[in-house]
């Protein structure tokens, strides 16, 4: 964003705040704007009404990120912004950085970015913010020294705690209060995944009324294919396990298919409300997501 445009938007925000605060004070004389002030206000309003170019750059095309795309496109319909969605087919840091830099070259005023892996983005983001481009990050938080503007995400650790507690409770309701629970994360080192791991470990270390042996976090693989191959092997390595849990969008469907293929009765916990996962929950194959 050009500095003049950036500062003009900031000035208009302050103008709006001044008008709001002014409306809260007791009325005295009715204010009178000079002709020059009226022209400045009109120019500022016209500038704010401009369409801003705010592309989105995701780390890969998976069901989880596709749901974010739906939300992004809904915002594009509601707001005065020009949009462009970008995502590699599979997790590819160099390709994602290339897409990001392409959006900067196209004149992006701001970018909504899911930076994977976060430590690879520090200098890339710092260069963009140094040119007054607003960088709002989602899901994975970059290093603070990158100078990103905003990080938006759910309380991922709390969600993982809730998921693990609910899973253990469901198993206990079925009469299963001990045994191996094998769990994993698909992208070690990524912010969201590490927070999910923290949540699981907290529950595993502070069990109440159960005596499960938690095995994890294991690296399940960062693609649908790698994840399926991992679980296919892992369920054979732990034949006595009473439950398997994954912290990525594709864990639920993959585990459910393997469970059905093996006519198994172990429990399944997973993250994200994929349509396929919801169907498996409805059919009683997946316990909780």
């Amino acid at each position: 964003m050009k500095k003049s445009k950036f500062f003009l938007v900031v000035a208009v925000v302050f103008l709006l705040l001044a008008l709001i605060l002014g409306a809260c004070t007791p009325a005295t004389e009715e204010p009178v704007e000079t002709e020059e002030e009226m022209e400045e206000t009109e120019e500022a309003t016209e500038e704010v009404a401009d369409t801003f170019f705010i592309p989105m750059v995701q780390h890969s095309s998976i069901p989880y990120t596709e749901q974010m795309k739906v939300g992004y496109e809904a915002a594009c319909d509601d707001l005065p912004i020009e949009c462009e969605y970008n995502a590699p087919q599979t997790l590819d840091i160099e390709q994602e950085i290339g897409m990001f830099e392409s959006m900067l070259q196209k004149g992006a005023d701001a970018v909504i970015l899911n930076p994977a892996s976060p430590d690879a983005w520090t200098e890339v983001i710092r260069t963009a913010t140094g040119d007054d481009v607003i960088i709002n990050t989602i899901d994975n938080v970059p290093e603070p020294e990158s100078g990103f503007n905003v990080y938006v995400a759910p309380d991922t650790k709390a969600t993982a705690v809730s998921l693990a507690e609910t899973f253990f409770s469901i198993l206990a309701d079925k009469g299963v209060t001990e045994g191996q629970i094998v769990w994993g994360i698909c992208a070690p080192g990524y912010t969201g995944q590490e927070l999910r791991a923290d949540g699981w470990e907290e529950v595993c270390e502070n069990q109440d009324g159960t005596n499960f042996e938690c095995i994890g976090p294991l690296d399940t693989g960062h693609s649908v294919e790698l994840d399926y191959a991992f679980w296919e092997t892992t369920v054979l390595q732990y034949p006595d396990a009473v439950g398997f849990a994954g912290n990525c969008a594709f864990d639920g469907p993959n585990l459910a298919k393997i469970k059905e293929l093996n006519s198994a009765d172990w429990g399944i916990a997973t993250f994200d409300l994929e349509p396929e996962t919801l169907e498996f929950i409805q059919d009683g194959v997946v316990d909780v997501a």
Side-chain angles (χ1 to χ4, degrees):
M1 183 184 296
K2 291 181 179 178
K3 289 195 175 181
S4 58
K5 187 176 181 182
F6 181 86
F7 289 128
L8 180 56
V9 172
V10 172
V12 172
V13 171
F14 280 120
L15 174 62
L16 291 171
L17 287 173
L19 291 171
I20 292 168
L21 291 172
C24 299
T25 58
T28 53
E29 282 187 18
E30 189 151 326
V32 178
E33 281 189 301
T34 66
E35 187 175 337
E36 183 180 353
E37 288 172 332
M38 291 174 67
E39 287 176 359
E40 287 177 357
T41 302
E42 286 175 6
E43 287 174 6
T45 304
E46 287 172 6
E47 192 72 36
V48 172
D50 283 350
T51 298
F52 297 107
F53 178 36
I54 307 179
M56 184 179 198
V57 182
Q58 280 282 6
H59 57 58
S60 60
S61 298
I62 57 175
Y64 173 63
T65 56
E66 287 298 309
Q67 291 177 38
M68 294 190 206
K69 180 184 178 183
V70 171
Y72 171 65
E73 290 176 343
C76 293
D77 289 338
D78 291 341
L79 301 172
I81 56 178
E82 179 188 347
C83 296
E84 186 172 335
Y85 183 82
N86 303 264
Q89 283 302 114
T90 58
L91 189 61
D92 187 321
I93 296 172
E94 290 185 5
Q95 191 176 356
E96 186 187 7
I97 290 175
M99 289 176 171
F100 175 81
E101 291 178 338
S102 175
M103 294 301 99
L104 298 182
Q105 290 169 5
K106 285 187 174 185
D109 298 299
V111 179
I112 299 169
L113 174 68
N114 190 343
S117 165
D119 56 4
W121 285 86
T122 304
E123 289 302 321
V124 179
I125 295 173
R126 181 156 42 202
T127 299
T129 55
D131 290 335
D132 290 328
V133 179
I134 296 170
I135 306 298
N136 287 358
T137 60
I138 53 175
D139 201 27
N140 289 293
V141 60
E143 298 294 331
E145 53 266 31
S146 68
F148 69 94
N149 298 88
V150 174
Y151 170 58
V152 179
D155 190 338
T156 312
K157 180 183 176 181
T159 310
V161 167
S162 178
L163 178 66
E165 289 177 341
T166 303
F167 187 41
F168 288 5
S169 176
I170 289 172
L171 292 175
D173 288 343
K174 294 179 180 180
V176 181
T177 57
E178 61 182 3
Q180 294 175 330
I181 302 288
V182 183
W183 64 282
I185 55 177
C186 69
Y190 287 21
T191 313
Q193 291 293 300
E194 292 298 330
L195 288 170
R196 293 176 190 191
D198 291 345
W200 272 92
E201 288 177 338
E202 183 175 302
V203 175
C204 289
E205 292 170 1
N206 299 283
Q207 295 181 49
D208 184 18
T210 60
N211 189 31
F212 294 111
E213 177 194 357
C214 294
I215 299 172
L218 305 180
D219 182 354
T220 65
H222 61 254
S223 72
V224 175
E225 295 76 20
L226 288 173
D227 183 82
Y228 186 92
F230 168 83
W231 287 120
E232 193 175 35
T233 303
T234 302
V235 298
L236 298 176
Q237 290 177 335
Y238 296 93
D240 298 325
V242 297
F244 293 91
N247 285 275
C248 280
F250 33 71
D251 285 308
N254 281 344
L255 279 166
K257 291 167 187 173
I258 294 167
K259 179 179 178 177
E260 289 188 325
L261 192 64
N262 289 277
S263 300
D265 60 358
W266 29 260
I268 298 174
T270 185
F271 251 82
D272 303 328
L273 304 181
E274 304 303 299
E276 219 177 356
T277 297
L278 294 175
E279 290 175 8
F280 279 121
I281 289 176
Q282 188 174 32
D283 295 340
V285 183
V286 172
D287 293 282
V288 58

